[in-house]
């Protein structure tokens, strides 16, 4: 079961993430970012190749927020560990 990360979603629907690919298990942990704001650290087991890690992150965030994967949109950070996603709706 994933933690409730809804509290980390900003009022504008944005969620800051730090992704750790090739982890031993898929999970999400809340932590402060460099500026002290809220951020979720997302661990996924897949390697960051051909967008596999991004798809796994979107699926994991969608499951944790109990929304459809199509509502989680990658705004920034396609090739970076630091990502910004928008939760539509």
């Amino acid at each position: 079961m994933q933690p409730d990360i809804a509290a980390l979603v900003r009022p504008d629907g944005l969620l800051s993430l730090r992704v750790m690919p090739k982890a031993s298990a898929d999970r999400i942990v809340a932590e402060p970012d460099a500026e002290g704001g809220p951020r979720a650290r997302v661990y996924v087991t897949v390697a960051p190749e051909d967008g596999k890690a991004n798809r796994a992150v979107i699926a994991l965030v969608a499951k944790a927020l109990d929304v459809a994967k199509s509502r989680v949109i990658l705004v920034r950070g396609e090739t970076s560990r630091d990502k910004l996603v928008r939760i539509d709706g």
Side-chain angles (χ1 to χ4, degrees), residues 4-87:
D4 181 17
I5 60 168
L8 301 178
V9 178
R10 299 190 318 215
D12 57 4
L14 296 175
L15 175 62
S16 178
L17 307 172
R18 174 76 174 181
V19 177
M20 309 303 286
K22 296 170 43 173
S24 60
D26 291 340
R27 67 178 196 235
I28 300 176
V29 178
E31 70 171 19
D33 66 10
E35 291 83 37
R39 172 172 74 176
R41 185 173 287 242
V42 181
Y43 296 86
V44 292
T45 57
V46 296
E49 54 191 31
D50 300 324
K52 291 177 188 175
N54 286 338
R55 287 190 296 275
V57 166
I58 288 170
L60 196 59
V61 169
K63 183 177 179 181
L65 292 172
D66 195 28
V67 298
K69 289 185 281 188
S70 61
R71 291 183 51 201
V72 181
I73 298 156
L74 183 61
V75 175
R76 185 178 66 223
E78 187 173 331
T79 60
S80 171
R81 287 181 185 231
D82 293 316
K83 300 184 185 304
L84 187 65
V85 296
R86 184 178 70 238
I87 313 304

